[in-house]
């Protein structure tokens, strides 16, 4: 894939999983550059105004938090959900980093760890939290967000209405499907159930470690993307009905 939006390789160390954003075993991260590219590809299919973002398979909340910190100026609200209550608890802590207060608390925590353990790496992570806070303020400040325990196969209509869905679905080695999974291809079921609670204009971006994301028969995507061992599809909600 040729990058159209994130054309230059930048240093995304401050956003790396486990740096400032919290991580845990069994909760994979996501390439920051690819996340930004996919969101911007979705935004290209929407009116140029701040949009509401939803990750209904959020895991640790890493993907949504990275997008919120990187694109605060283009987002009005972030919602995440997962059927796993432990994942949602971790996601809630990460999404608190979409506020200046949350980043300041994280900086203090990391500085305390640096003093307690005598490890310079914690001090550098604290400085990274401060840099992320400065960046958040420059892009518009605190980003409203919501976190919920929810089954992606039985979603409720989100409020506020969602404009963009960006989610990295389970792919078997670290994460697994759960909830009221329908028979057949799970991604197809996911797309149809999500489309049922979204407005026609909404754009869905679904990624997985696979060669190609399956779509329901007869549905044409807006775009398909392949990078390394990941594939992604960009599709309009109205086309999935």
């Amino acid at each position: 894939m040729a990058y159209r939006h994130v054309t230059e390789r930048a240093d995304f160390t401050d956003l790396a999983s486990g740096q400032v954003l919290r991580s845990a075993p069994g909760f994979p991260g996501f390439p920051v550059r690819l996340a930004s590219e996919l969101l911007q590809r979705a935004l290209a299919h929407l009116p140029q105004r701040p949009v509401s973002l939803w990750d209904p398979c959020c895991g640790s909340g890493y993907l949504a938090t990275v997008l919120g910190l990187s694109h605060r100026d283009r987002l009005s609200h972030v919602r995440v959900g997962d059927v796993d209550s432990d994942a949602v608890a971790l996601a809630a802590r990460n999404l608190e980093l979409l506020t200046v207060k949350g980043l300041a608390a994280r900086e203090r925590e990391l500085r305390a760890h640096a003093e307690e353990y005598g490890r310079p790496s914690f001090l550098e992570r604290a400085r990274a939290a401060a840099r992320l806070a400065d960046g958040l303020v420059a892009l518009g400040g605190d980003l409203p967000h919501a976190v919920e325990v929810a089954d992606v196969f039985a979603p409720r209509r989100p409020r506020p209405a969602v404009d963009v869905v960006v989610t990295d679905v389970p792919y078997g080695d670290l994460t697994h499907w759960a909830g009221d999974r329908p028979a057949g291809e799970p991604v197809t079921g996911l797309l149809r159930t999500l489309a049922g609670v979204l407005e026609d204009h909404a754009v869905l971006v679904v990624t997985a470690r696979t060669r190609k994301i399956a779509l329901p028969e007869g549905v044409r995507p807006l775009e398909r993307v392949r990078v390394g061992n990941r594939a992604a599809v960009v599709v309009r909600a109205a086309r999935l009905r």
Side-chain angles (χ1 to χ4, degrees), residues 215-240:
L215 287 177
E217 186 176 355
V219 174
R220 292 183 298 105
L222 295 169
E223 299 186 43
R224 284 193 180 275
V225 173
R226 180 80 188 280
V227 177
N229 62 356
R230 275 189 170 88
V233 66
V234 183
V235 62
R236 184 87 64 187
R239 296 185 182 181
L240 292 163

Side-chain angles (χ1 to χ4, degrees), residues 86-209:
D86 290 338
V88 170
L90 179 56
R93 298 181 73 198
N94 273 328
L95 265 72
E96 277 301 307
L97 302 177
L98 297 178
T99 67
V100 173
K101 181 178 178 181
L103 284 165
R106 181 63 166 151
E107 180 185 358
R108 289 194 299 272
E109 178 185 32
L110 290 166
R111 288 187 181 279
H113 289 334
E115 183 174 347
E116 180 179 359
Y117 300 117
R119 292 175 59 182
S121 61
F122 279 112
L123 190 57
E124 178 49 39
R125 289 165 62 187
R127 295 189 186 106
R131 290 192 293 269
L132 291 179
D134 289 343
L136 183 64
V137 170
L139 292 175
D142 293 358
L143 179 55
H145 56 273
V147 185
E148 60 181 351
V149 177
D151 183 354
V152 71
F153 296 116
R156 295 183 293 272
R157 188 172 295 276
R159 289 289 179 267
V162 165
D163 302 297
V164 180
V165 171
V166 180
T167 195
D168 186 38
V169 301
Y171 33 77
D173 51 353
L174 290 176
T175 54
H176 304 272
W177 291 104
D180 190 17
R181 174 179 168 177
E185 168 56 49
V187 175
T188 299
L190 173 148
L191 288 167
R192 287 205 182 281
T193 57
L194 290 179
V197 297
L198 294 172
E199 304 295 330
D200 283 350
H201 75 275
V203 173
L204 296 90
V205 181
V206 176
T207 79
R209 288 186 180 176

